[in-house]
Amino acid sequence: MTSILPSYVNSAWWSPADPAAEADAALVRDASTGEVITAVSTAGLDLAAALDYARTVGQASLGRLTFHQRAMLLKQMAQVLSERKDELYALSSRTGATKSDSWIDIDGGVGVLFTYSSKGRRELPNGTVYVDGPAEQLSKDGSFLGQHIYTRLSGVAVQINAFNFPVWGALEKFAPAFLAGVPSLIKPATPTGYLAEAFVRILVESGLLPDGSLQLVSGAVPGLFDALKLGDLVGFTGSASTAERLRANDSVQTGGVRFTSETDSINASVLGQDAVAGTPEFDAYVKQLVAELTAKSGQKCTAIRRAIVPNASVDDVVAAVQARIDERVVIGDPRAEGVTMGPLASLEQRDEVLRQVARLREGGGEIVIGSTDAPSVRRADGSVGEDPAGAYVAPILLRFPDNTASAAHTVEAFGPVASILGYGSTAEAITTVARGDGSLVTSIATHDPQVAVELVGGIAALNGRVLILDRDDARTSTGHGSPVPHLVHGGPGRAGGGEELGGIRAVLHHMQRTAVQGSPDMLTAITGVWHTGAAVATEGAHPFRKSLAELRIGDSVHSASRTVTLDDIEQFAQTTGDTFYAHMDEEAAAANPFFPGRVAHGYLLVSWAAGLFVDPAPGPVLANYGLENLRFVTPVSPGDSIRIDLTAKQISPRETDEYGEVRWDAVIRNQNDETVATYDVLTLVAKELAA
């Protein structure tokens, strides 16, 4: 009897209570041997209750944490998964993934958690509100301001994932949702859902997951969309037809549920006309094309489906690809020694790929590499031969003599299959890329900057990502088919029109941007960032004598004045070597439309300002680590005086250290109270005073 793969809902593992569910459960098989691994059924699962649990318990548990606290949990989750990744690798081989394929999926997924943990602590405040841009002054006297902020959505992030990356595909959606403070309900694809269940089980056993922050539904989700409502959002990866059907649901159309999709994409890779056989770019192009044909057996949404090459280079590319396949590719069970390309995820997927290859051939494509016949493979025991129980397909390259043939740009065989199309000019290459009606990624192999400029200018709007490959970056390039968490993943048109990853952008997708209007004091209270015009506290100890435990937003020092002399300017010029005419030549400076005559160096003023506001004795301020947003507004002439107002603007304690960052609002003014310069001073301050 085959056990049913459990779901994880309401902070508990769940399996169907009705014994009859086993008879109707979908069987999941080993991609190489056909052996039954598990069965999948959600018969009797209350999906509406799982959603409500996320909206209540999950929202409450995540809402008690700041961005930085959530980021630290992501790091700890990544560490736990890293420690137990051998378990995941063993299971991953049953999906047809080789060790290198599993590295992309498992280590890639763990890497997403590490990246979002790091970016969350570096780029988000240690609070729960994200401030978007500077405040807008809406009144002459500054008493009424406007500020854009982001706050988390009030619902649940439903994440529907494809079969090809059961770990990475889930974690790249989960990490930004978790960091935003929105609970996730993950729905993996059936053929590889057991690997998703395994990593979720590891996280559950770790005790790191706040209650309700992550739920897993292992199987079908009938009625799920009918239970969604305003505040919920859906991230979908899969076919365009399924995305269209889901997007048509009333909850999305009229119920306010956000829906983003990443779907079919006939991605292209363009070989520049300068990249002829024998050049490093040609070699890098061929290496990349073979890698995209064979990694994950071509089951990647970002894989190259159209190799667009100069007419004169088509034969050279075909020959080079064939030679590299012959040299490098060994098809078989990933558990067999020496295998470099495994089977597709299931027999059903194999049959679907072969159906699409038939459509490509009917549409004008001619197979020039590979065959639709069952390939000879290396079995786990080392024997070699055909294996009808495994979902094997050899790498296939089809040539389309007519680069306008519709099938080449509309039919995707989601496996080790690509088409090669010739072009005569860069303009024709751009047109050929455009026939794909929107892609996740297009790569360009060229060492000619002008070719790169023309191609990127013509295709960027058709793609979510463009990669330029040449001799300078071929060794370090992450590759055509590898999205990275720092950059956006998604694309227009056929690719779904959605956007994932992209660093903090993905976190903000799970939040609502709101324009808040009010007084400086109110906006300071709401955002945790001091706004000009809000209350300041100048009494008591100098702010630099206060630890983070004592320091408050609005604590301020108003300095004494210091007069600038011509001797000061000349001495600074000689000491620094900055003898720019505006500081040293009265006649030339007076002829400048911005200066009344010789003026003080801006950096002299900033240096003096530091001397005016600093409390020099050892104390809780550990270091000044930078200035940001420096602007010089009013020139300072000899005889003018300056003073500075320094105010604690934002306080961000670090979760892992005994100190934190303090951002200070700095304004230098002259004797007429005119603003001379504005900037932010960044310091590291101890959480507690040293004993």
Side-chain angles (χ1 to χ4, degrees):
M1 184 177 295
T2 302
S3 62
I4 292 180
L5 188 70
S7 297
Y8 184 73
V9 294
N10 305 329
S11 295
W13 290 102
W14 177 94
S15 295
D18 186 353
E22 293 186 12
D24 298 326
L27 297 179
V28 178
R29 300 178 182 273
D30 186 297
S32 299
T33 67
E35 176 189 355
V36 173
I37 299 173
T38 188
V40 171
S41 174
T42 55
L45 177 59
D46 190 340
L47 291 170
L51 293 173
D52 285 341
Y53 188 79
R55 297 185 192 111
T56 53
V57 176
Q59 279 279 335
S61 64
L62 287 172
R64 287 190 284 269
L65 304 174
T66 67
F67 290 119
H68 287 201
Q69 290 168 335
R70 297 173 202 142
M72 282 306 305
L73 285 173
L74 288 178
K75 180 180 180 180
Q76 293 168 336
M77 292 178 205
Q79 291 169 331
V80 166
L81 291 175
S82 293
E83 291 167 0
R84 296 180 61 180
K85 68 181 179 182
D86 286 349
E87 302 170 37
L88 300 178
Y89 268 74
L91 277 177
S92 182
S93 66
R94 307 200 74 177
T95 72
T98 65
K99 188 173 183 179
S100 60
D101 293 337
S102 297
W103 180 84
I104 297 170
D105 185 30
I106 297 168
D107 289 79
V110 170
V112 170
L113 297 181
F114 276 125
T115 298
Y116 272 94
S117 174
S118 176
K119 292 184 80 67
R121 285 174 286 149
R122 289 199 322 267
E123 301 177 32
L124 296 175
N126 198 358
T128 58
V129 175
Y130 179 79
V131 176
D132 179 30
E136 299 288 345
Q137 185 168 314
L138 303 178
S139 64
K140 287 185 177 181
D141 64 357
S143 64
F144 187 57
L145 306 177
Q147 177 72 68
H148 290 100
I149 64 170
Y150 279 92
T151 56
R152 65 189 179 127
L153 295 179
S154 60
V156 55
V158 175
Q159 297 151 5
I160 304 173
N161 300 311
F163 66 83
N164 51 342
F165 290 106
V167 180
W168 178 87
L171 293 179
E172 64 99 3
K173 292 183 175 69
F174 167 75
F178 186 90
L179 188 53
V182 177
S184 296
L185 187 147
I186 299 173
K187 194 283 180 202
T190 294
T192 56
Y194 56 89
L195 186 51
E197 189 269 354
F199 91 72
V200 170
R201 186 173 292 275
I202 291 171
L203 293 181
V204 171
E205 291 173 356
S206 74
L208 293 170
L209 292 172
D211 289 343
S213 61
L214 187 157
Q215 298 184 85
L216 175 77
V217 177
S218 299
V221 287
L224 175 69
F225 271 62
D226 296 333
L228 298 178
K229 60 185 181 181
L230 180 65
D232 298 333
L233 68 161
V234 177
F236 171 82
T237 300
S239 71
S241 58
T242 302
E244 184 178 359
R245 176 172 55 82
L246 296 177
R247 188 181 282 111
N249 189 277
D250 286 346
S251 64
V252 176
Q253 291 296 308
T254 59
V257 173
R258 297 186 185 183
F259 183 91
T260 184
S261 65
E262 184 254 289
T263 60
D264 310 335
S265 179
I266 316 297
N267 307 298
S269 184
V270 181
L271 182 67
Q273 290 179 305
D274 62 301
V276 297
T279 63
E281 288 70 36
F282 181 92
D283 294 341
Y285 183 87
V286 169
K287 180 180 179 181
Q288 177 177 262
L289 179 54
V290 174
E292 293 303 316
L293 272 171
T294 57
K296 291 290 288 186
S297 300
Q299 299 169 113
K300 295 167 63 179
C301 57
T302 52
I304 296 170
R305 302 301 176 199
R306 296 175 295 157
I308 300 172
V309 307
N311 290 322
S313 295
V314 171
D315 291 339
D316 289 338
V317 171
V318 172
V321 168
Q322 181 70 74
R324 189 169 181 85
I325 289 174
D326 293 343
E327 177 187 358
R328 300 294 186 102
V329 178
V330 178
I331 305 172
D333 189 317
R335 290 156 291 204
E337 187 69 26
V339 166
T340 61
M341 175 178 155
L344 300 182
S346 66
L347 292 174
E348 293 78 11
Q349 181 61 20
R350 178 201 64 186
D351 294 344
E352 174 62 18
V353 167
L354 294 178
R355 277 193 293 271
Q356 299 309 318
V357 171
R359 290 183 61 199
L360 288 167
R361 297 176 75 180
E362 292 167 2
E366 172 193 358
I367 294 179
V368 292
I369 293 178
S371 166
T372 56
D373 296 337
S376 179
V377 302
R378 186 177 297 176
R379 303 183 185 92
D381 61 7
S383 62
V384 176
E386 293 183 12
D387 190 347
Y392 296 103
V393 175
I396 294 173
L397 184 66
L398 300 99
R399 179 175 184 173
F400 278 83
D402 179 4
N403 67 17
T404 68
S406 175
H409 308 289
T410 58
V411 176
E412 181 179 28
F414 199 73
V417 182
S419 301
I420 187 165
L421 305 97
Y423 73 88
S425 66
T426 302
E428 186 179 0
I430 292 171
T431 300
T432 306
V433 171
R435 293 184 190 279
D437 289 335
S439 299
L440 296 173
V441 56
T442 291
S443 57
I444 301 164
T446 181
H447 196 54
D448 184 335
Q450 188 53 47
V451 170
V453 168
E454 187 175 352
L455 281 169
V456 171
I459 69 173
L462 304 167
N463 288 270
R465 177 166 59 92
V466 175
L467 181 148
I468 297 97
L469 189 67
D470 71 358
R471 66 196 68 184
D472 297 328
D473 67 6
R475 184 180 60 84
T476 55
S477 169
T478 52
H480 170 104
S482 298
V484 293
H486 318 71
L487 303 178
V488 294
H489 175 52
R494 183 189 176 98
E499 185 180 284
E500 298 172 341
L501 297 177
I504 297 304
R505 295 173 184 84
V507 179
L508 301 182
H509 291 332
H510 296 80
M511 307 180 79
Q512 176 63 45
R513 181 167 54 192
T514 304
V516 179
Q517 297 167 278
S519 69
D521 282 326
M522 285 298 179
L523 293 187
T524 296
I526 291 166
T527 63
V529 177
W530 184 82
H531 284 66
T532 300
V536 296
T538 58
E539 302 300 322
H542 189 288
F544 275 28
R545 311 310 312 160
K546 298 179 180 180
S547 68
L548 290 191
E550 303 167 302
L551 189 66
R552 297 292 180 267
I553 298 295
D555 282 355
S556 184
V557 57
H558 296 185
S559 80
S561 296
R562 182 173 179 179
T563 301
V564 179
T565 69
L566 191 59
D567 286 344
D568 294 325
I569 297 172
E570 292 184 345
Q571 184 177 3
F572 189 84
Q574 297 306 318
T575 301
T576 63
D578 182 358
T579 56
F580 185 63
Y581 74 86
H583 313 304
M584 306 300 291
D585 186 327
E586 179 69 28
E587 184 178 350
N592 186 303
F594 301 110
F595 305 123
R598 294 175 68 178
V599 296
H601 304 70
Y603 297 108
L604 164 62
L605 303 176
V606 171
S607 299
W608 276 21
L612 290 169
F613 70 66
V614 161
D615 186 307
V621 176
L622 306 176
N624 176 333
Y625 73 98
L627 304 178
E628 287 185 352
N629 308 315
L630 175 61
R631 295 292 183 273
F632 297 113
V633 181
T634 303
V636 172
S637 301
D640 288 346
S641 62
I642 64 166
R643 62 179 180 81
I644 185 167
D645 296 334
L646 188 79
T647 305
K649 184 175 184 178
Q650 188 174 22
I651 302 171
S652 298
R654 290 193 177 183
E655 293 296 321
T656 56
D657 299 295
E658 294 306 312
Y659 58 87
E661 290 94 359
V662 177
R663 179 181 293 269
W664 305 83
D665 181 85
V667 181
I668 301 175
R669 305 180 193 277
N670 63 17
Q671 69 279 6
N672 299 319
D673 210 32
E674 296 169 321
T675 298
V676 169
T678 62
Y679 52 101
D680 289 351
V681 177
L682 309 178
T683 61
L684 300 176
V685 179
K687 290 181 178 178
E688 300 285 349
L689 290 174

